[in-house]
Structure formats: C-alpha cells, structure tokens
C-alpha cells in the first residue's frame, strides 16, 4: 500500500477513489523570467507528492498530510470564506487548489472528500514542493469532480492557488514543470503563450547527472526579496514602454541604461540576458548536447549574483566549488535568497563534487549542505 493510501486509511474506512501524484522540479535555466512573460527550461524530478482521495457523504473537505499533525476540515460552502480569512498554513495549498479549480471549472461537480497527502519532495530547497502539492491535488480533484481541465489549465489553477490563497506572487514555471515533465527531458516553456516543447536533455546517454546542493538556507517567496524583484521588473518594463520585459532584446539595453537607475537597469539586464540564455541553451542542447551548456549555466549564475542580486554566499560557494572540482556547469536554481544550487557533472565525479562542496562549507563555517542527484522524470499522473 502506498504511503498516501495508508494515511487515507487513518482518516476513513472507505475505499480510495484513486491516487494521483505530481513531482517537484529543478529549473535548468531561466530564473525570474516566468513572471516577465519570458522563457524557462525546467524539468520535473523523481521526488513526488501523492494525494489519495475517498468520497464522503457530506460536503466537507478533510485534508491530512504527512508534513503536519491532524486534519483540516472545511465545508465546501465555507471554502471562499476560509480562503479570504487566510491563516491556513500548509492547507492553503490544497484548499487553494480546490477553491481555484471550482472557479476555473464552473461545470464541475464538487463534493466532500477525504484527502491524504504525502510527499518526498524536500521542503524549502527550491525544488517546488508547493507546486507538487498543487499538481497532485489539482489532478485528483479534476478527475473526481469531473472538471475536465487539461494540464495547462491545471497548472493555472495551481498558480492561482499559490498567488491568491497562499499569497506568494510567483510565476507559472513550477506548476507547468510539475504537470508536464518527461524522463530525461526538460520543458521549454514560453510563459506568455504557455506553449511548450519537450527538449531532450541527453543526460542518461552522456552519463551526466544533476547534483542538487541544498544550502538549507531558507527562503520564503510570500515575503521580501522575491516580490521586490518582481516590482523592479514591472517598473523597468513600464519605464521602457513595454508590456513585459520579455519584449526587450539585448539591443535595447543601451537605451535602458540611459533611462533607468542603476539598480533597475541591472534587474532588467538580468531578465533580458537570461531569456536569451534560455533560447541559447535549448539550441545548444539540440545541436551540440548537454556537455556544451556549461558556460550558459555559469553565466546565468553570475547574472543572478551580480545583476539580480538574489544569490547568497552559500550558493556562490556551492557553485564555485562544484566548478573547481570538475562540474561542467553550475548555478543557483529557483527563486533565490537561499535554497539550492545545481551542478551538471559527469556521473563518476558525483561523489567527488559532493564531498568537495561539503568540505568547503565546513571550512567556511556554514551549515553542512544536503547533496543529492535528481533525475528528469515524468510529470503529474494518476497512479491508482
Ligand atoms: C520561484 C517561483 C517561480 C519562479 C522562480 C524563479 O520558484 O515559484 O515562479 O519565478 O522562483 O525563476
């Protein structure tokens, strides 16, 4: 029996209607470009969140999870009020999804459910444990309530939950990556049109691995720096007279330098150059394979460190140490201000890079990082 079904059995005697799951993600490249309507290249990872669901006779949603004590109960009739009142903590993710899905699919037939959620996606590591919850719950409710939404619509539901119920002003990258992944492939996403292309990574063929270096420095996107960066990007776009920074090219940068203050200019330059790096990475993967993308990853990290200023010393140390020990490329991944870095390494260098990073952190008197490889994997699905 799966962990989610076991947890469900502690809630109810009823047989499960089914079980759905969705993965976390790693972003290979394209950071903070999503809410600027630009390009991203994330991939889903093997670590997943599962939601097992059983029907109830009343209209109560009762949700229990492996990462919290006790169950949260909200009658469907009181869902809108519960979301507006806030203070739901982790339950804002699944309840926010239920709330957003009902709005997105007015013809659906919502009914009371017991929902058990279990996860092995590390929390706070920048691997989108939240998008994994949203993807699993959205996929489950979509089927059980007969909402009939497609994967892109379900990703939108997850993002609305995140933005409006949780209150984190994020883009749509994480939800799209979690809904759409495939083994040994990344999802190339145009965040304006939401059109996607699968891009073969070729890591397996080339014997390459992605090592995650979780600095354990915590970040929270509902507060602080993330929202501030977003506001700077919007101000930059307004001053440059475009709808979103996606509409600027590198040839617009000289004009941006004249018009914008130094900080806003550097925020804009990160987004403009990062969009180009995503396009270049996709082309390089297709034409030359994964060994040729190292410099693009490194340039992306430098841009986040120097222009967008969202790195922290631990992330810089992780990247520098990985590169000094033979990584093909490395960069921080996710929203920044903590979380994880990734390093693209030859499989037989994995241990050496991981232990060199551990030693460098010890020498710098930083908390020991958690290092582990991730595998580009399949997106959201029904498991049972
Ligand atoms: C977080 C957000 C995403 C994206 C990244 C930065 O992961 O959830 O929408 O903005 O940060 O690329």
């Amino acid at each position: 029996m799966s962990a989610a079904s076991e947890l469900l059995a502690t809630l109810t005697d009823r047989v499960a209607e089914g079980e759905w799951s969705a993965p976390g993600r790693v972003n290979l490249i394209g950071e903070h470009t999503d809410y600027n309507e630009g390009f991203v290249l994330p991939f889903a990872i093997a670590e997943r969140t599962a939601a097992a669901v059983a029907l109830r006779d009343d209209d109560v949603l009762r949700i229990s999870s492996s990462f919290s004590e006790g169950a949260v109960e909200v009658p469907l009739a009181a869902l809108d009020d519960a979301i507006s009142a806030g203070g739901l903590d982790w339950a804002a993710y699944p309840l926010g999804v239920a709330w957003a899905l009902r709005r997105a699919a007015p013809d659906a037939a919502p009914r009371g459910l017991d929902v058990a959620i279990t996860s092995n996606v590390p929390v706070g590591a920048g691997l989108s444990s939240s998008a994994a919850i949203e993807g699993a719950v959205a996929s489950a409710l979509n089927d059980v309530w007969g909402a009939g939404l497609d994967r892109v619509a379900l990703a939108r539901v997850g993002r609305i939950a995140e933005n409006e119920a949780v209150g984190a002003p994020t883009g749509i990258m994480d939800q799209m990556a979690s809904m759409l992944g495939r083994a040994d492939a990344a999802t190339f996403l145009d965040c304006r049109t939401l059109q996607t292309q699968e891009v073969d990574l070729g890591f397996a063929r080339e014997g390459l691995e992605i090592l995650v270096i979780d600095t354990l420095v915590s970040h929270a996107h509902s507060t602080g720096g993330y929202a501030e960066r977003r506001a700077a990007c919007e101000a930059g776009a307004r001053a440059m007279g475009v709808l979103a920074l996606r509409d600027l090219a590198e040839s617009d940068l000289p004009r941006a330098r004249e018009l914008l203050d130094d900080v806003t200019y550097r925020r804009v330059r990160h987004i403009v150059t990062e969009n180009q790096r995503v396009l270049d990475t996709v082309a390089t993967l297709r034409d030359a394979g994964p060994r040729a993308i190292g410099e693009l990853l490194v340039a992306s990290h430098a841009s986040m460190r120097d222009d967008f200023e969202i790195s922290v010393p631990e992330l810089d140390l992780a990247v520098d140490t990985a590169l000094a020990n033979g990584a093909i490329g490395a960069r921080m991944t996710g929203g920044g201000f903590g979380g994880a870095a990734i390093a693209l390494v030859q499989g037989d260098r994995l241990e050496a890079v991981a232990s060199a990073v551990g030693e460098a952190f010890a020498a710098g008197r930083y908390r020991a990082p958690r290092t582990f490889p991730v595998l580009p994997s399949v997106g959201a699905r029904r498991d049972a």
Side-chain angles (χ1 to χ4, degrees), residues 17 85 99 106 119 170 177 225 231 233 235 356 367 369:
E17 268 305 289
W99 168 78
S119 183
T170 58
C233 290
R367 187 171 169 197

Side-chain angles (χ1 to χ4, degrees), residues 25 27 30-35 40 126 128 130 162 169-175 219 221 226 310 331 333-336:
R25 65 98 188 92
N27 189 18
E31 226 63 84
H32 286 257
T33 43
D34 62 352
Y35 57 79
V40 293
S128 287
S130 55
E162 182 102 25
T170 58
I172 199 166
M173 165 171 72
D174 307 341
Q175 292 78 14
H219 63 96
H221 295 325
Y226 186 96
I310 54 172
R331 60 186 284 280
T333 184

Side-chain angles (χ1 to χ4, degrees), residues 80-258:
D80 291 2
D81 290 343
I83 297 295
S84 334
L88 291 167
D89 196 31
W90 68 272
Y93 294 98
L95 291 175
V97 164
W99 168 78
L101 190 110
R102 225 165 39 159
R103 259 197 340 195
D107 294 339
R111 53 176 300 168
L113 302 170
D114 285 317
V115 182
I117 301 171
T118 59
S119 183
N120 63 3
V121 184
V123 174
L127 301 181
S128 287
S129 54
S130 55
I133 301 176
E134 290 152 7
V137 174
S139 303
L141 298 185
N142 189 45
D143 287 357
V144 176
W145 287 354
L149 298 180
D150 64 19
R151 282 173 183 263
V152 173
L154 292 177
R156 280 205 181 94
V157 161
R159 184 199 177 175
I160 291 169
E162 182 102 25
N163 291 172
E164 297 182 30
V166 178
T170 58
I172 199 166
M173 165 171 72
D174 307 341
Q175 292 78 14
M176 287 291 283
S178 179
M179 290 307 304
L180 293 170
R182 200 202 75 200
D184 210 16
T187 300
F188 172 39
L189 166 65
D190 178 334
C191 298
R192 172 166 279 167
T193 63
L194 296 191
Q195 280 178 345
T196 58
Q197 288 173 40
E198 277 181 1
V199 179
D200 280 328
L201 288 168
F203 293 163
R205 184 184 65 233
E206 299 276 340
L208 299 177
E209 300 266 4
I210 291 279
L211 179 71
V212 171
I213 304 158
D214 178 4
T215 64
L216 302 175
V217 176
S218 67
H219 63 96
H221 295 325
S222 43
T223 51
Y226 186 96
E228 206 177 278
R229 293 303 182 278
R230 188 170 176 147
C233 290
E234 282 161 7
R238 261 196 313 277
M240 291 294 289
V242 290
L243 216 57
L245 292 183
R246 146 71 174 275
D247 298 309
L248 298 180
E250 287 181 357
S251 57
D252 293 309
L253 288 176
R255 189 166 63 91
R257 170 160 259 158
E258 278 172 25

